[in-house]
Amino acid sequence: MSDVSEARTAPPAAAARVLAVWHRVECWVAVVCFTFIAVILVLDVLGREFVGPVFNFLGIDVGPTGIFASQRLSIYALVIGSFAGIGIATATGSHLVPRVGFGWVPKGWRPRMDRLADVITGCFLLGVTWYGFKFVESTYTVDLRAPVLDWSVWPFQLAIPVGFLSAACRYFAYALWPSLRPGLPEFQE
């Protein structure tokens, strides 16, 4: 690549910072969600399998000893954490990349083909995002509620289109500034 085209595609420092902060936020969301899942399920099992039997053995009736709706709450945390993972996988280049067609074009075309692939992938993910928002809109319209908890589910479902939108925006950033794109892992096949 010539110096002129490299200068034209060099990312602004702000773009790299925004993507780094964005990635850090998604990582924290995922960590909080999966930590919540682990803690609430462990406490639920300990309550049901240890605390309850101990109190029953002592002749004390404490009623249910598990955590109310822990499995349902875990599912919602799983949805949020998993769809944050789409952006994380895109940011780290750890998602699956099929190698079909990698050798079909000359090496000199690779930078342009990578940019084209990023634009096509971003557009595809925008389409998925649109369908995700339509899905959330439908559950919002009918006021679909969670069994047991009686909470509206659409706020949790928003993680679905937001996760795809996050990945789409990253691909568009990679198309604009290819040096921001993470490299492919060596172990991937």
Side-chain angles (χ1 to χ4, degrees):
M1 222 185 243
S2 69
D3 292 336
V4 174
S5 64
E6 286 217 13
R8 193 173 62 224
T9 62
R17 276 194 308 274
V18 165
L19 288 179
V21 168
W22 186 355
H23 176 63
R24 185 167 289 130
V25 167
E26 285 178 323
C27 287
W28 273 107
V29 166
V31 166
V32 166
C33 287
F34 289 110
T35 301
F36 173 79
I37 292 168
V39 169
I40 197 168
L41 290 180
V42 166
L43 290 176
D44 180 52
V45 169
L46 286 175
R48 283 186 291 112
E49 303 298 329
F50 179 70
V51 174
V54 166
F55 277 111
N56 285 340
F57 178 75
L58 297 173
I60 302 171
D61 183 18
V62 292
T65 52
I67 296 176
F68 175 72
S70 62
Q71 294 170 352
R72 183 72 53 189
L73 293 169
S74 296
I75 288 171
Y76 293 129
L78 179 65
V79 168
I80 295 168
S82 296
F83 282 95
I86 294 171
I88 295 168
T90 302
T92 58
S94 58
H95 53 294
L96 295 175
V97 177
R99 295 207 177 261
V100 174
F102 269 42
W104 292 358
V105 296
K107 275 194 171 189
W109 292 10
R110 186 167 182 190
R112 285 190 181 112
M113 293 305 289
D114 286 344
R115 283 181 147 183
L116 178 63
D118 288 339
V119 169
I120 291 170
T121 303
C123 288
F124 173 78
L125 289 170
L126 277 182
V128 174
T129 300
W130 183 80
Y131 280 107
F133 277 119
K134 295 302 282 179
F135 171 69
V136 173
E137 178 188 36
S138 71
T139 59
Y140 173 80
T141 302
V142 298
D143 193 28
L144 186 65
R145 303 190 77 71
V148 181
L149 297 170
D150 196 38
W151 294 352
S152 289
V153 296
W154 71 266
F156 301 101
Q157 293 173 337
L158 271 176
I160 298 167
V162 168
F164 287 116
L165 180 62
S166 170
C169 290
R170 272 197 180 82
Y171 276 107
F172 291 134
Y174 300 158
L176 282 173
W177 305 295
S179 62
L180 293 176
R181 181 186 306 111
L184 293 174
E186 292 298 318
F187 60 84
Q188 220 175 45
E189 291 192 26

